Amino acid sequence: MREPQLVTAEGLPDRVTIYEVGPRDGLQNESAIVDVAVKAEFIRRLVDAGLTTVETTSFVHPKWVPQLADAAELLEQLDLPDGVRAPVLVPNERGLDRALAAGVREIAIFASATETFAAKNLNSTLDEQFTMFTPTIQRALDAGRTVRGYVSMCYGDPWEGDVPIDQVVKVGARLVELGCHELSLGDTIGVATPGQVTALIRAFTAAGVPVDKLAVHFHDTYGQALANTLTALREGVTTVDSSAGGLGGCPYAESATGNLATEDLLWQLNGLGIHTGVNLEKLVTTSAWMADQLGKPSPSRVVQALAG
């Protein structure tokens, strides 16, 4: 299988952690319900390709995300190798209870940087969302779990338009203060450009949030995800969220299209000589297989080019 020509560039990290979100953020946006055995096989194949962080599912109420109603059953089917992180998303304490009962070692919570999205996604206000998050995070920490915080609508909101940088920083910094070990900055509707990315990362570091606590999560609605990722890497970020085959979006924001495809990200990183530990050929084969299961082609440009 063809690989990119290796030409390094200055100012980039030697290693990047790919935080794979396809089984959760990808499949939750599919109209069809994917069989739990297929999901389990998808995760096993991703791990076999070398991904060491795979967000597996979400303990959200089935009424809101029926595609992930089988979370507990899925985790029972997984027996992943030592060293593989398998975080799950939890929306509240009830979700945390289910995750703890399932033996989950790492959780993620999902916050909003805007009032409207907080109301639509969390049935809360921008400030009141922390009333829900605070006990969830504290209980997880008390149980010896690690907690990742997502911040959505960091670069633009379909209802409110532009989002002030200081508003995003205020939400994210508060999550870090509550104990989140990592903060994923989400371009939920894919409108970010490199200047915004630079400004936001620098605003976080100026507010006392170190860059090694930041991850980036880009959607490719306007074709900017790879450019934005490269910009973030130049600012010192070393964790990048992506979704195998480009699966996913956001069920609560209709203008949000697919996540940055892991294969497209990997092609760029491989060409720059940045180590990830992920095998591109195995990953392409996995995403082509998953596309067959879903009955539609993968939107990943690299999968399209290499899978034949």
Side-chain angles (χ1 to χ4, degrees):
M1 181 173 286
R2 182 179 174 85
E3 289 274 353
Q5 183 173 340
L6 196 160
V7 181
T8 61
E10 294 183 357
L12 294 171
D14 295 327
R15 176 181 292 270
V16 162
T17 297
I18 296 178
Y19 189 103
E20 173 60 46
V21 300
R24 196 276 301 173
D25 194 19
L27 295 184
Q28 77 172 14
N29 203 47
E30 290 298 317
S31 57
I33 303 296
V34 178
D35 186 80
V36 66
V38 173
K39 292 179 183 178
E41 180 63 19
F42 183 38
I43 293 167
R44 293 188 196 100
R45 290 181 181 226
L46 292 171
V47 171
D48 182 65
L51 288 156
T52 56
T53 303
V54 181
E55 194 169 78
T56 53
T57 188
S58 173
F59 282 99
V60 67
H61 196 288
K63 174 183 176 182
W64 302 114
V65 186
Q67 294 88 341
L68 302 182
D70 56 6
E73 183 182 358
L74 172 63
L75 294 180
E76 287 179 355
Q77 294 194 20
L78 295 177
D79 184 16
L80 301 178
D82 292 341
V84 173
R85 296 167 55 199
V88 304
L89 188 71
V90 301
N92 49 37
E93 287 191 88
R94 292 188 299 277
L96 176 63
D97 288 339
R98 296 172 61 201
L100 293 176
V104 170
R105 301 302 307 169
E106 182 175 346
I107 70 161
I109 57 99
F110 198 83
S112 173
T114 67
E115 289 282 3
T116 307
F117 194 61
K120 290 180 177 291
N121 187 39
L122 302 170
N123 194 30
S124 177
T125 68
L126 199 58
D127 285 333
E128 288 172 353
Q129 64 182 331
F130 292 99
T131 302
M132 177 172 59
F133 297 144
T134 299
T136 303
I137 293 171
Q138 190 58 57
R139 284 187 53 210
L141 295 175
D142 290 345
R145 272 53 172 180
T146 55
V147 184
R148 175 185 236 227
Y150 282 101
V151 183
S152 58
M153 302 297 176
C154 288
Y155 300 94
D157 180 289
W159 302 279
E160 298 183 18
D162 295 345
V163 181
I165 287 177
D166 61 346
Q167 184 171 305
V168 180
V169 173
K170 182 179 178 181
V171 171
R174 192 165 174 184
L175 290 175
V176 173
E177 290 171 2
L178 288 173
C180 289
H181 77 282
E182 186 171 77
L183 197 64
S184 177
L185 307 178
D187 182 17
T188 314
I189 58 173
V191 295
T193 55
Q196 283 180 284
V197 174
T198 298
L200 184 60
I201 292 171
R202 292 182 181 179
F204 267 105
T205 57
V209 179
V211 73
D212 63 4
K213 282 187 174 291
L214 300 178
V216 289
H217 185 118
F218 294 115
H219 287 214
D220 207 32
T221 313
Y222 291 87
Q224 303 297 299
L226 280 174
N228 290 332
T229 298
L230 186 59
T231 299
L233 297 182
R234 291 193 183 281
E235 291 298 315
V237 172
T238 58
T239 299
V240 180
D241 298 2
S242 62
S243 176
L247 293 171
C250 177
Y252 302 102
E254 292 182 3
S255 56
T257 55
N259 291 292
L260 168 62
T262 306
E263 294 82 1
D264 298 4
L265 171 63
L266 192 56
W267 182 271
Q268 182 182 82
L269 297 179
N270 285 358
L272 289 165
I274 297 173
H275 182 70
T276 64
V278 182
N279 183 292
L280 178 61
E281 183 172 2
K282 285 186 174 182
L283 190 59
V284 167
T285 300
T286 294
S287 289
W289 170 83
M290 193 65 204
D292 287 341
Q293 304 303 309
L294 296 172
K296 61 182 183 181
S298 167
S300 164
R301 304 297 285 272
V302 170
V303 172
Q304 294 172 17
L306 298 181

